[in-house]
């Protein structure tokens, strides 16, 4: 549960060595309800994979490809592994081997997913691709009032709408405030942007796009829904045949 007093943006200024792809991928997969575990299929190689599975389907194997120019603090080159420091990541890849052969479920090297994308963004995109491959859908999260902690839902009323208690459709129990939803994203508090502070002076340097996997997935879902609605409206308008000269403006 996120709180309004937290400042998650401060963690974004930490050294990228503090951020590892393993944790990002795990968080992204768990947020979408994808069961996964770590496996090392070839004992002679140090590479470990995140393996995703659903009953009756071929398993999906996720690994991270290291940037050849990245070096460890000791000067060694990073080996490919599912758990790399964010600074050492070149691309995330997910593959599946089935009756049709081996193919990408998510290709971090492709035109859609450039290796320059942040590690968190690639982790979220990869998890979303795996969920789509398995046909999994993420249920809508329950919203909770930031004032009273009760579960709330949005009720439309003549195009206006308001947040009401899910159990009995009443207003906030404190008697003064309207229900307001607790932010779903603990990084950006649903604004879509994260404040970036200077490491030395703690002053605000600017903003960066939130790449928290659930936040990215919700944004992509909203964009897809908007595109479907727009396409449906365009198709309806194209199919419309005017009855007379006063049917549609301009008259």
């Amino acid at each position: 549960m996120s709180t309004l007093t937290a400042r998650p943006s401060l963690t974004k200024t930490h050294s990228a060595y503090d951020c590892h792809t393993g944790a990002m991928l795990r968080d992204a997969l768990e947020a979408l309800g994808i069961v996964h575990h770590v496996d090392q299929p070839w004992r002679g190689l140090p590479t470990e994979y995140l393996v995703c599975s659903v009953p009756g389907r071929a398993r999906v194997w996720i690994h991270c490809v290291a940037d050849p120019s990245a070096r460890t603090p000791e000067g060694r080159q990073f080996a490919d592994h599912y758990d790399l420091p964010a600074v050492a990541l070149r691309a995330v890849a997910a593959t599946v081997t089935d009756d049709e052969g081996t193919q990408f479920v998510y290709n971090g090297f492709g035109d859609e997913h450039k290796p320059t994308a942040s590690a968190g963004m690639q982790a979220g995109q990869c998890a979303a691709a795996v969920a789509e491959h398995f046909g999994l859908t993420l249920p809508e999260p329950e919203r909770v009032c930031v004032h009273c902690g009760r579960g709330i839902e949005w009720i439309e009323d003549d195009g206006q709408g308001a947040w009401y208690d899910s159990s009995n459709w009443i207003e906030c129990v404190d008697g003064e405030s309207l229900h307001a939803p607790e932010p779903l994203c603990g990084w950006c508090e649903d604004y879509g942007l994260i404040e970036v502070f200077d490491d030395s002076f703690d002053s605000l340097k600017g903003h960066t796009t939130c790449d928290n996997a659930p936040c990215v997935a919700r944004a992509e879902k909203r964009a897809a829904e908007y595109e479907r609605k727009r396409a449906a409206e365009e198709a309806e308008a194209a199919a419309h045949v005017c009855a007379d000269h006063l049917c549609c403006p301009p008259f």
Side-chain angles (χ1 to χ4, degrees), residues 109-163:
F109 296 96
D111 291 336
E112 274 184 65
H113 315 289
K114 294 296 185 183
T116 54
S118 68
M121 182 70 76
Q122 286 203 57
Q125 292 172 339
C126 179
V130 174
E132 182 178 358
H133 171 77
F134 284 143
L136 302 177
T137 57
L138 180 66
E140 288 294 330
E142 180 184 357
R143 304 309 297 266
V144 177
C145 178
V146 69
H147 302 301
C148 65
R150 289 178 176 269
I152 57 177
E153 59 180 314
W154 180 261
I155 305 297
E156 288 288 346
D157 183 16
D158 295 332
Q160 299 297 319
W163 290 98

Side-chain angles (χ1 to χ4, degrees), residues 75-235:
R76 296 192 299 270
Q77 186 174 345
F78 285 95
D80 295 347
H81 196 274
Y82 86 92
D83 192 20
L84 290 172
V87 292
L89 176 68
R90 184 183 181 196
V92 178
T95 59
V96 62
T97 300
D98 53 22
D99 294 339
E100 299 179 0
T102 299
Q103 57 189 326
F104 280 107
V105 172
Y106 176 83
N107 181 5
F109 296 96
D111 291 336
E112 274 184 65
H113 315 289
K114 294 296 185 183
T116 54
S118 68
M121 182 70 76
Q122 286 203 57
Q125 292 172 339
C126 179
V130 174
E132 182 178 358
H133 171 77
F134 284 143
L136 302 177
T137 57
L138 180 66
E140 288 294 330
E142 180 184 357
R143 304 309 297 266
V144 177
C145 178
V146 69
H147 302 301
C148 65
R150 289 178 176 269
I152 57 177
E153 59 180 314
W154 180 261
I155 305 297
E156 288 288 346
D157 183 16
D158 295 332
Q160 299 297 319
W163 290 98
Y164 288 94
D165 188 308
S166 299
S167 59
N168 50 22
W169 292 7
I170 62 174
E171 295 183 352
C172 198
V173 293
D174 67 6
E176 297 180 1
S177 304
L178 297 175
H179 283 300
E182 180 85 9
L184 291 173
C185 180
W187 289 14
C188 69
E189 297 180 355
D190 298 344
Y191 286 102
L193 296 174
I194 294 176
E195 295 177 333
V196 179
F197 293 87
D198 186 272
D199 290 331
S200 301
F201 302 101
D202 201 26
S203 59
L204 181 64
K205 296 195 300 184
H207 298 81
T208 183
T209 302
C210 181
D211 57 10
N212 189 10
C215 191
V216 171
R218 285 189 292 270
E220 291 177 346
K221 181 179 179 181
R222 288 194 301 269
E225 290 176 349
Y226 172 81
E227 181 60 27
R228 283 194 296 269
K229 182 179 179 181
R230 184 194 63 79
E233 290 175 348
E234 286 187 354

